[in-house]
C-alpha cells in the first residue's frame, strides 16, 4: 500500500507533461545548429573543412591546457572550455544520442525542480565532466560532447529513484542494476571505440548529478 500525500506527483517519476520545456529545446537547438554547420562544412557544402578543427581549437576541452602543459588559444579558455565543450559534437549521430536523452530526462527533472535548478544541474554537470576529464585523463586530444551533462541528469534520476524506493520500503535493486548497467555500457563502448570514450567526463557529470540530487535538487 503506497503512502498518501497531498502532492500526488511528488513520488511519481513518470513523465507528466508532453514535450520538453522550451529552454531545453533552445539548448539542443544551439548544439544542433553548430553541428549542422560543421557537418555541412565537412561535406564541402559551405565554408571550409577546417571549420570543425577551428571550433574544436576554441571550444573543446583540452587536458593539456587545463593542466598548463599547453598554452591556451585565448585568455580565459581554461574556464570557458569547461562549458563550451558540451555544445560541440563529433557527428550528427553523436548529437542525436545526447540530445534525445537530454530532452527525455531533462523534461522530467525540470517538471519537478523547475528551470533554474535544472539549468544549475546542466551547468555543474558540464563543469564536473570537464574537470574530471582534466584531472584523470591522459589524453592530449580534444574532449567534446554533452555526455557529461547527460550523465549528470542520469545521476539525479537514480538518486531520486533510490530515495523514493527507500521511503516506500521498496527494493532498491533496480536502481543498483541501472548503475551497474551504466558501468558495463561504458566499459563496452570504451573497448568498441578503442579507448575513444571520455568515460572520465561521464563519471564527473554523474557524480555532480548525485551531489545535486542530494542537495539543492532534492525531491
Amino acid at each position: 500500500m503506497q503512502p498518501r500525500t497531498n502532492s500526488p506527483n511528488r513520488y511519481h517519476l513518470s513523465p507528466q507533461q508532453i514535450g520538453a520545456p522550451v529552454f531545453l529545446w533552445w539548448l539542443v537547438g544551439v548544439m544542433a545548429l553548430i553541428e549542422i554547420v560543421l557537418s555541412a562544412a565537412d561535406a564541402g557544402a559551405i565554408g571550409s573543412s577546417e571549420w570543425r578543427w577551428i571550433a574544436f581549437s576554441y571550444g573543446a576541452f583540452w587536458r593539456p591546457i587545463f593542466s598548463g602543459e599547453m598554452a591556451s588559444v585565448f585568455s580565459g579558455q581554461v574556464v570557458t572550455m569547461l562549458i563550451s565543450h558540451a555544445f560541440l559534437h563529433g557527428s550528427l549521430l553523436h548529437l542525436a544520442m545526447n540530445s534525445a536523452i537530454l530532452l527525455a530526462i531533462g523534461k522530467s527533472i525540470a517538471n519537478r525542480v523547475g528551470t533554474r535548478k535544472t539549468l544549475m544541474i546542466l551547468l555543474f554537470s558540464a563543469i564536473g565532466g570537464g574537470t574530471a576529464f582534466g584531472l584523470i585523463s591522459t589524453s592530449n586530444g580534444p574532449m567534446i560532447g554533452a555526455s557529461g551533462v547527460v550523465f549528470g541528469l542520469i545521476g539525479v534520476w537514480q538518486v531520486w529513484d533510490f530515495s523514493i524506493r527507500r521511503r516506500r520500503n521498496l527494493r532498491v535493486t533496480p536502481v543498483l542494476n541501472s548503475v551497474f548497467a551504466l558501468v558495463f555500457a561504458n566499459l563496452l563502448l570504451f573497448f568498441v571505440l578503442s579507448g575513444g570514450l571520455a568515460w572520465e567526463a561521464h563519471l564527473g557529470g554523474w557524480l555532480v548529478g548525485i551531489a545535486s540530487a542530494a542537495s539543492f535538487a532534492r525531491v
Side-chain angles (χ1 to χ4, degrees):
M1 185 174 183
Q2 298 178 352
R4 298 182 64 182
T5 173
N6 291 330
S7 179
N9 292 327
R10 183 179 178 186
Y11 303 119
H12 192 49
L13 287 184
S14 61
Q16 301 159 0
Q17 297 179 6
I18 298 176
V22 174
F23 76 91
L24 287 178
W25 282 109
W26 272 103
L27 289 175
V28 170
V30 171
M31 293 191 299
L33 178 61
I34 293 172
E35 182 52 38
I36 289 172
V37 170
L38 295 181
S39 293
D42 290 341
I46 60 173
S48 167
S49 59
E50 295 182 357
W51 279 13
R52 185 177 294 277
W53 182 249
I54 294 173
F56 285 6
S57 297
Y58 282 86
F61 185 94
W62 297 87
R63 186 203 58 79
I65 294 178
F66 183 80
S67 63
E69 300 171 25
M70 184 172 75
S72 58
V73 178
F74 60 92
S75 177
Q77 185 178 8
V78 69
V79 176
T80 61
M81 67 181 185
L82 287 168
I83 302 171
S84 59
H85 76 272
F87 288 88
L88 297 171
H89 290 80
S91 65
L92 290 171
L93 177 60
H94 186 199
L95 167 72
M97 292 173 60
N98 282 336
S99 297
I101 301 175
L102 192 155
L103 289 171
I105 303 181
K107 174 187 69 172
S108 296
I109 289 177
N111 286 345
R112 287 161 182 80
V113 298
T115 299
R116 182 177 64 85
K117 290 184 178 180
T118 303
L119 286 173
M120 289 173 61
I121 294 170
L122 299 176
L123 175 63
F124 294 158
S125 295
I127 295 174
T131 301
F133 186 86
L135 294 175
I136 303 174
S137 177
T138 59
S139 171
N140 292 325
M143 188 275 285
I144 55 172
S147 298
V149 174
V150 166
F151 272 78
L153 296 178
I154 293 174
V156 170
W157 188 267
Q158 289 176 329
V159 170
W160 285 358
D161 195 12
F162 182 86
S163 299
I164 290 170
R165 288 177 178 276
R166 287 291 299 272
R167 287 197 292 264
R168 288 182 168 182
N169 293 318
L170 299 174
R171 295 170 62 236
V172 298
T173 304
V175 182
L176 299 179
N177 288 341
S178 70
V179 174
F180 290 135
L182 282 182
V183 174
F184 177 77
N186 273 267
L187 286 173
L188 180 61
L189 286 173
F190 181 82
F191 287 109
V192 169
L193 298 176
S194 301
L197 180 75
W199 64 267
E200 303 91 344
H202 297 177
L203 176 62
W206 184 70
L207 291 175
V208 167
I210 290 175
S212 299
S215 55
F216 67 87
R218 182 180 300 176
V219 296

